[in-house]
Amino acid sequence: MALSDAFALPPAWVPDAVVYQVFPDRFRRAGVTPIASQQRQVAGLQWQPWGSDPMLQGFQGGDLWGVIESLDHLQGLGVTCLYLTPIFASAANHRYHAYDYLKVDPLLGGDQAFDALLAELHRRGMRLILDGVFNHCGRGFWAFHHLLENGITSPYRDWFHIHHWPLHPYPRTGESCGYSCWWNDPALPKFNHAHPPVQDFLLQVGRHWLERGIDGWRLDVPDEVPSGFWISFRRMARSVNPEAWIVGEIWGDAVPWLQGDQFDGVMNYRLGWSSLCWAAAGRLSEAYNNPQYPLEPLDADALLAIWTATQDSCRPEVNAAQLNLLDSHDVPRALHTLKGDAAALRLALLLLILQPGAPCIYYGTEAGLRGGEEPECREAMPWGQPWPHDLCSAIQAFLQLRRRFPILRKGGLCWHPQGRDGLIGLAPGLAVGLNRSRQRVLTLDPQLVSQASDATLDCELLSGAAGPSPLTLSPQSAVLLSQGTGGSGCSD
């Protein structure tokens, strides 16, 4: 592939990917890996009890060895790619406060655990994307630490936006810290990207981990970094790995970043919140206040208007390279938003997985976790304990469906409203119907279904209880009508 082509187009592997997001400190603490056990004994580390209140500071001890131990589970779900929130050395459990970008946090197992994880993922044919936080660092970052120790005489004074001396990294109430920081948090000094050595260093970080073998980057708050830096970042990434996936954390209109010179896709929060707001059928937790993740009831017409506007604004290749998600470490868990309704969550997951783009499952979704606003959504995965809801079989079935029908990955369905509570998605030889109502039976329009194919369609229940006929959906159910797994368009 020519570099010019690799520069403009998303990687060919992304439309087929299924991503699983891991928040490492809360995912799994290694228990049987000999190296990890030995490391823990030697270090004498003191952890918070597993499952402690996520509102508390501190570390519960999840590590990359634990991720390795969980790969059979993840691959069994249908996952093909991991997205890890930051893993570099940091003094915060979320690790967005990096102090060493070239070193995996020793609490996660260090570089040894990282190398082992990457090797095992690639052995299984799976991929890895890392979280790049290039807008700001932590107070312990070496250049900022040098500034604190030496003040205006530090050679690194132009690496940050300094407003006055001396600096106050731990300011008293009402006191200015003296430097620009992310969202006025003194713990997060903001880089001065106009200073060439800063850009050079951050590009070096991006190159280092791509050369180590990662398959892409998820980029934190990229709208707060000059676009010229991301053009340089893309050129660097494509020169190292023409198939590297570059995903930006853009919550709203992402069109300026998706012209082929910066990102392949973005975190598709629009698809996530809109799907939840429709599947909720009016029973929705609306306390979360974020204009970029609005939670309010949607009917089918409003839902489809959002989807259409989002997809029509981008090239088909870009739509197929979006990171589609319902929730993440930054927003309330989907089950919290849906007030604990697991049936509604199944419908929302089905909507997610039926869209072009790579679906992303937030860790613990399969276990029915329902944490609230950040950081409550960062609770520990309940390994070895009863799960509130076991959604593994539903996720497996939906992902198998995605593999069986290439149109779901490559082009997507044409969606239509069906009465007050229904949706139907159509493609040649394929129709998918959903009924979100908790009380009413829904009958699909037979004339609309016939547009999928003139052939007799087989029926396959996807969620909920069976209705009296293939075109009749029981409350909170979904059905697939297809030409059959042996027909054209129904298998790879």
Side-chain angles (χ1 to χ4, degrees), residues 314-478:
C314 296
R315 295 168 291 150
E317 298 90 348
V318 171
N319 288 327
Q322 302 282 46
L323 182 65
N324 296 335
L325 68 163
L326 295 178
D327 53 3
S328 74
H329 65 294
D330 281 331
V331 298
R333 284 191 177 269
L335 198 56
H336 175 87
T337 296
L338 297 171
K339 293 189 172 181
D341 189 337
L345 178 56
R346 290 187 190 94
L347 294 179
L349 284 166
L350 179 59
L351 290 178
L352 177 80
I353 289 167
L354 290 175
Q355 307 297 325
C360 181
I361 309 298
Y362 186 40
Y363 84 96
T365 298
E366 72 271 35
L369 297 186
R370 59 176 295 184
E373 297 183 27
E374 173 199 340
E376 292 177 281
C377 56
R378 302 171 180 179
E379 66 267 60
M381 183 75 175
W383 301 106
Q385 303 174 23
W387 289 359
H389 301 280
D390 189 338
L391 300 178
C392 288
S393 60
I395 293 173
Q396 289 168 340
F398 297 163
L399 292 176
Q400 288 169 3
L401 181 72
R402 185 178 175 86
R403 290 192 295 271
R404 280 172 50 199
F405 296 96
I407 189 64
L408 300 178
R409 294 173 273 132
K410 308 301 183 184
L413 302 173
C414 181
W415 291 95
H416 304 270
Q418 285 282 276
R420 177 178 175 181
D421 292 306
L423 282 175
I424 184 167
L426 302 175
L430 180 66
V432 179
L434 299 92
N435 178 17
R436 69 176 184 174
S437 173
R438 294 180 176 83
Q439 294 85 30
R440 289 182 291 274
V441 171
L442 173 70
T443 300
L444 299 177
D445 183 343
Q447 291 185 333
L448 195 57
V449 172
S450 69
Q451 295 179 21
S453 174
D454 293 332
T456 301
L457 298 178
D458 295 332
C459 173
E460 181 179 343
L461 187 69
L462 298 179
S463 182
S469 73
L471 296 183
T472 303
L473 298 184
S474 297
Q476 290 187 300
S477 70

Side-chain angles (χ1 to χ4, degrees), residues 261-281:
D261 60 347
Q262 297 182 63
F263 308 148
D264 297 308
V266 298
M267 298 181 75
N268 197 354
Y269 278 107
R270 277 183 174 177
L271 175 64
W273 59 255
S274 61
S275 299
L276 290 172
C277 290
W278 180 83

